[in-house]
Amino acid sequence: MQIYEELKARGLIAQVTDEEEIRELVNNGKATFYIGFDPTADSLHVGHFMALCLMKRLQMAGNRPIALIGGGTGYIGDPSGRTDMRSMMTPETIQHNCDCFKKQMERFIEFGEGKAMMLNNADWLLQLNYIELLREVGACFSVNNMLRAECYKQRMEKGLSFLEFNYMIMQAYDFYHMFQTVGCNMQFGGDDQWSNMLAGTELIRRKLNKDAYAMTITLLLNSEGKKMGKTASGAVWLDPNKTSPYDFYQYWRNVGDADVLKCIRMLTFLPLDKIDEMDTWQGSQLNTAKEILAYELTKLVHGQAEAEKAQEAARALFGGGGDSANMPCTTLCREDFSAEGEIDILTLLVKCGLCASKGEARRLVQQGGVTVCGQKVADIEAKFSCKDCCGEGAVIKKGKKVYHKAILEE
């Protein structure tokens, strides 16, 4: 099976322009394609996972990826999927986030001469002359057509700033610029980006010639993939300092029964014939599938050693007999305890990052969602001593599936 057919079989492609030409380019390793990443944080999250895996698959098939960092469009903010305007970031913050992205992307794609490229659209967008842009690019856009785009329609009732209205033009210009300068002939993006991507293809065809070789593909469920990046307790990051390898593993271990095989198909690099055999799995076999998913993705992001540690810790906690030493933990110091050598449960939960605030911690305790050292905590005034956290530490259980250790620094 060739790569384009594999992408379709994995459920990654929703809609395309010029499918036969795209198939020809991709299957013969002739695609130089880009996927954009807005630097809105200093880490990628699991919502970016599908795009990163796609870049890896296509590079393995001989195609050339461009990771386009939105250092320029980051000054504006993409209105897609939003009900309000993004907060403005400073140039220093944007650059810092771009640097962090590259370090994480290097686990997925290989950069270098003749290999993957990382570009920052600030390099050309910040140099644009406004009047020249209006004359050369703005004339190619119909305001009527732009207002029909989903990314704008959903914002019209609450208000769409003129700043954000320019985002489509900026994204289209990115494709136009890279088509001319680095031979980028294809763009990939989520289904929420379809209007913006079509604008880029149309701009190339109008400015250069209507037969210009510029292709557009949208990924199935990429918008849903972005939602994967958020959970009730916050984002699930690829940075191990923000989301530990164990918590990352547990995130995927806890996906719903209805989603596990879909995630295995789209996100792992397991052979399709092996995945097809799993389609008939039911009951307890789905738990095995979830372990496979969690292990494969943790290995991809954090390496095999961390994936094995996370799996061992998870099996220990859920009755599989593994090593509990790899459980996520927080080291407390003497200053975290009162003069009497005690720490209250609300402070403990916040210190361990299990709750964002004491208010959230209070509600969790009142709802019966906290266990410490095997005993359910019912009193919001409950306190624990230094001794409780010595040695192997105090094991805290939040809800049914989140475990954490609090250990006193010796």
Side-chain angles (χ1 to χ4, degrees):
M1 182 182 295
Q2 292 187 285
I3 184 62
Y4 184 78
E5 287 67 33
E6 181 179 347
L7 296 180
K8 294 191 74 172
R10 288 184 180 273
L12 289 168
I13 297 178
Q15 48 187 337
V16 302
T17 62
D18 308 302
E19 183 170 40
E20 288 307 312
E21 290 85 350
I22 289 171
R23 179 184 284 108
E24 170 71 17
L25 285 173
V26 168
N27 284 345
N28 290 285
K30 297 179 180 178
T32 298
F33 67 95
Y34 94 88
I35 297 179
F37 300 83
D38 278 339
T40 53
D42 59 0
S43 173
L44 299 166
H45 57 68
V46 298
H48 296 111
F49 218 95
M50 190 179 297
L52 294 170
C53 291
L54 177 77
M55 296 174 85
K56 182 178 179 70
R57 293 184 205 280
L58 288 169
Q59 186 175 44
M60 290 169 64
N63 298 286
R64 191 178 192 188
I66 299 173
L68 179 65
I69 305 298
T73 43
Y75 282 83
I76 296 176
D78 184 359
S80 300
R82 296 186 62 84
T83 58
D84 57 356
M85 193 169 77
R86 294 185 189 276
S87 59
M88 296 290 184
M89 295 185 294
T90 65
E92 293 76 17
T93 298
I94 291 173
Q95 185 57 54
H96 172 72
N97 293 350
C98 292
D99 294 340
C100 293
F101 279 17
K102 184 172 184 181
K103 291 179 182 178
Q104 293 175 350
M105 288 178 180
E106 286 173 341
R107 276 199 168 273
F108 292 82
I109 54 178
E110 188 176 358
F111 293 97
E113 187 68 29
K115 298 175 183 176
M117 291 181 281
M118 174 169 278
L119 301 179
N120 186 336
N121 62 17
D123 293 340
W124 55 85
L125 292 181
L126 299 187
Q127 307 302 318
L128 288 174
N129 177 283
Y130 185 61
I131 298 300
E132 181 182 356
L133 179 70
L134 288 177
R135 288 174 59 87
E136 295 300 316
V137 179
C140 298
F141 285 80
S142 162
V143 172
N144 291 347
N145 289 340
M146 292 174 72
L147 291 176
R148 283 194 286 268
E150 284 299 321
C151 61
Y152 292 141
K153 282 168 61 178
Q154 61 192 3
R155 287 291 307 280
M156 292 301 291
E157 290 185 8
K158 292 196 174 183
L160 176 71
S161 71
F162 181 71
L163 178 72
E164 294 172 293
F165 190 62
N166 282 268
Y167 191 90
M168 180 184 290
I169 296 175
M170 296 293 95
Q171 184 168 329
Y173 187 83
D174 285 341
F175 195 21
Y176 172 69
H177 176 85
M178 290 186 291
F179 180 85
Q180 291 184 289
T181 57
V182 294
C184 180
N185 55 16
M186 196 175 296
Q187 55 183 336
F188 286 76
D191 51 3
D192 60 335
Q193 294 292 311
W194 185 242
S195 298
N196 293 342
M197 293 192 296
L198 289 179
T201 298
E202 184 61 23
L203 177 61
I204 291 173
R205 287 175 173 167
R206 290 191 64 175
K207 290 296 295 179
L208 302 177
N209 64 75
K210 65 180 180 180
D211 297 320
Y213 223 46
M215 306 302 168
T216 303
I217 289 182
T218 182
L219 302 183
L220 180 64
L221 297 174
N222 202 31
S223 293
E224 199 169 296
K226 290 180 180 178
K227 296 173 188 175
M228 288 181 183
K230 299 289 183 180
T231 67
S233 59
V236 178
W237 304 101
L238 305 194
D239 183 344
N241 295 315
K242 289 177 173 288
T243 299
S244 71
Y246 172 83
D247 289 330
F248 186 85
Y249 177 96
Q250 280 300 105
Y251 174 80
W252 295 107
R253 175 62 180 79
N254 293 330
V255 300
D257 289 355
D259 295 326
V260 58
L261 291 177
K262 180 169 61 177
C263 289
I264 288 176
R265 190 175 296 277
M266 291 191 296
L267 301 177
T268 76
F269 287 78
L270 296 175
L272 279 171
D273 56 355
K274 182 175 180 179
I275 299 172
D276 288 340
E277 293 174 3
M278 298 181 189
D279 280 337
T280 60
W281 286 11
Q282 296 179 354
S284 62
Q285 288 178 306
L286 291 178
N287 289 326
T288 301
K290 292 176 186 181
E291 282 198 345
I292 292 171
L293 172 67
Y295 178 82
E296 290 295 326
L297 298 191
T298 306
K299 181 173 69 172
L300 189 60
V301 174
H302 298 295
Q304 184 172 351
E306 290 298 332
E308 290 176 355
K309 288 180 183 178
Q311 188 172 70
E312 283 292 307
R315 286 176 174 173
L317 296 171
F318 296 103
D323 183 5
S324 62
N326 295 311
M327 185 189 304
C329 69
T330 295
T331 301
L332 303 175
C333 60
R334 294 285 177 178
E335 288 73 20
D336 293 320
F337 293 78
S338 68
E340 292 76 26
E342 295 178 326
I343 186 170
D344 66 87
I345 184 61
L346 305 186
T347 301
L348 182 61
L349 290 171
V350 173
K351 287 279 185 183
C352 291
L354 295 172
C355 292
S357 66
K358 287 190 176 181
E360 180 184 329
R362 182 180 293 106
R363 289 189 294 273
L364 185 65
V365 171
Q366 291 171 335
Q367 293 165 4
V370 178
T371 299
V372 178
C373 297
Q375 299 295 317
K376 186 173 287 292
V377 180
D379 183 4
I380 60 172
E381 302 292 337
K383 294 181 173 62
F384 300 89
S385 68
C386 293
K387 184 179 180 180
D388 293 324
C389 299
C390 288
E392 294 186 0
V395 176
I396 306 167
K397 182 181 178 184
K398 174 185 174 183
K400 295 181 178 179
K401 298 179 179 179
V402 177
Y403 287 82
H404 200 92
K405 273 189 199 176
I407 299 178
L408 179 64
E409 185 178 43
E410 298 294 340

